[in-house]
Amino acid sequence: MTFLHSDSENIRSRENLPVTIHHGAREASVLIAKEIATLIKKKKELNDHCVLGLPTGSTPVEVYDELVRMHKEDGLSFENVVTFNLDEYYPMQPYKLQSYVRFMREHLLDQVDLKPENIHIPDGTIPVEEVPGFCRNYEEKVKSYGGIDLQLLGIGRTGHIGFNEPGSGKKSRTRLISLDHITIADSASDFFGEENVPKRAITMGIGNILESKQIILMAWGEGKAKI
Ligand code: F6R
């Protein structure tokens, strides 16, 4: 299932989020990857950056697989692409198995021709007192590229997007957040036990996400149906 919200849609579709139900995650992922590729190429023709907001987790994996395939087999270039990841556990070292830096490198970044200077992922290694400054800087960087053209989202069992757990304000900004106990339980297997899951994360806020020019929220399978 995908929800699509675009600034360029007419008023009616702004009020009613378009929902598409697909037969399976694979079919939907291929369509979403095609949409991303079309945007990348359109922006390239305009000699412009294509700014993508990206999630991690199981949901986007097949979208990334298809983008990598398009790069390797169809010559899709990511030279004009700038990426901003939604979130990272805090604290977290980038080389760790569970780090979102590692996840993104494995599934997308190391497999396409993205320029290293165009990749942005919240830094889980900085001292806690430096986090607010880091978050302000992260938002400034997004602004310097003219905002996010397309934000991809998954959704957690708590209903979180990014790591904006229930209670997050609609205008919330990039910040350090405490993870919900359900999110910690869901991450336990990745960390070989609940006690090893970081209790906090750095996440872009709901306010940041809603500023994106277009959003695609993906939710696959029965486990996500209720939320
Ligand atoms: C991760 C993120 C989260 C996930 C959500 C769903 O960067 O932003 O909101 O999208 O926890 O995770 P999966 O896809 O593993 O079910």
Side-chain angles (χ1 to χ4, degrees), residues 54-60 86-87 100 153-156 160-163 224:
L54 299 176
T56 58
S58 58
T59 306
L86 276 167
D87 45 18
Y100 285 170
L153 295 175
I155 187 165
H160 69 213
I161 52 173
F163 271 134
K224 295 285 172 71

Side-chain angles (χ1 to χ4, degrees), residues 2 25-37 52 54-55 57-70 76 78 107-108 112 150 152-153 216 218 220:
T2 60
R26 169 85 196 141
E27 175 197 295
S29 299
V30 168
L31 286 175
I32 291 167
K34 269 195 193 135
E35 197 167 331
I36 296 170
L52 301 178
L54 299 176
S58 58
T59 306
V61 166
E62 288 189 285
V63 176
Y64 297 153
D65 287 350
E66 179 61 12
L67 287 172
V68 169
R69 190 204 63 73
M70 285 174 164
L76 175 69
F78 288 74
H107 289 279
L108 182 72
V112 296
L150 173 58
L152 267 194
L153 295 175
I216 297 177
M218 307 169 282
W220 310 144

Side-chain angles (χ1 to χ4, degrees), residues 58-112:
S58 58
T59 306
V61 166
E62 288 189 285
V63 176
Y64 297 153
D65 287 350
E66 179 61 12
L67 287 172
V68 169
R69 190 204 63 73
M70 285 174 164
H71 171 68
K72 293 190 171 157
E73 294 176 15
D74 306 341
L76 175 69
S77 171
F78 288 74
E79 260 183 5
N80 65 323
V81 175
V82 178
T83 63
F84 286 91
N85 264 78
L86 276 167
D87 45 18
E88 174 61 290
Y89 290 107
Y90 185 86
M92 179 53 70
Q93 293 296 326
Y95 58 83
K96 287 252 172 104
L97 201 60
Q98 305 85 357
S99 111
Y100 285 170
V101 173
R102 189 162 167 171
F103 175 97
M104 288 308 298
R105 291 187 64 160
E106 281 178 16
H107 289 279
L108 182 72
L109 306 176
D110 284 355
Q111 315 226 40
V112 296

Side-chain angles (χ1 to χ4, degrees), residues 6-215:
S6 164
D7 263 355
S8 60
E9 302 281 341
N10 62 31
I11 303 257
R12 186 177 150 72
S13 64
R14 280 183 189 215
E15 288 176 351
N16 303 294
L17 287 180
V19 178
T20 317
I21 298 174
H22 297 271
H23 288 294
R26 169 85 196 141
E27 175 197 295
S29 299
V30 168
L31 286 175
I32 291 167
K34 269 195 193 135
E35 197 167 331
I36 296 170
T38 303
L39 184 65
I40 293 172
K41 288 184 220 160
K42 193 174 120 195
K43 287 283 198 161
K44 193 166 198 165
E45 274 170 22
L46 298 171
N47 217 5
D48 197 3
H49 287 111
C50 179
V51 186
L52 301 178
L54 299 176
T56 58
S58 58
T59 306
V61 166
E62 288 189 285
V63 176
Y64 297 153
D65 287 350
E66 179 61 12
L67 287 172
V68 169
R69 190 204 63 73
M70 285 174 164
H71 171 68
K72 293 190 171 157
E73 294 176 15
D74 306 341
L76 175 69
S77 171
F78 288 74
E79 260 183 5
N80 65 323
V81 175
V82 178
T83 63
F84 286 91
N85 264 78
L86 276 167
D87 45 18
E88 174 61 290
Y89 290 107
Y90 185 86
M92 179 53 70
Q93 293 296 326
Y95 58 83
K96 287 252 172 104
L97 201 60
Q98 305 85 357
S99 111
Y100 285 170
V101 173
R102 189 162 167 171
F103 175 97
M104 288 308 298
R105 291 187 64 160
E106 281 178 16
H107 289 279
L108 182 72
L109 306 176
D110 284 355
Q111 315 226 40
V112 296
D113 59 343
L114 252 154
K115 294 181 184 154
E117 65 271 26
N118 287 352
I119 297 167
H120 307 88
I121 302 178
D123 185 352
T125 70
I126 51 179
V128 72
E129 62 277 11
E130 289 177 20
V131 172
F134 174 85
C135 292
R136 274 196 302 277
N137 204 13
Y138 204 72
E139 297 192 353
E140 284 305 315
K141 273 192 199 144
V142 173
K143 258 192 218 150
S144 74
Y145 286 104
I148 290 178
D149 293 307
L150 173 58
Q151 176 69 60
L152 267 194
L153 295 175
I155 187 165
R157 251 198 330 142
T158 60
H160 69 213
I161 52 173
F163 271 134
N164 292 284
E165 300 289 17
S168 295
K170 201 174 165 187
K171 293 184 178 164
S172 54
R173 310 301 302 176
T174 309
R175 68 206 185 286
L176 196 59
I177 189 162
S178 294
L179 296 176
D180 191 281
H181 69 279
I182 294 176
T183 301
I184 291 175
D186 283 350
S187 305
S189 60
D190 289 341
F191 285 85
F192 311 107
E194 231 175 272
E195 64 282 10
N196 303 320
V197 181
K199 304 290 173 280
R200 292 187 290 182
I202 297 176
T203 184
M204 282 167 61
I206 305 280
N208 303 102
I209 292 169
L210 292 178
E211 281 163 13
S212 310
K213 292 167 199 159
Q214 186 182 353
I215 298 172

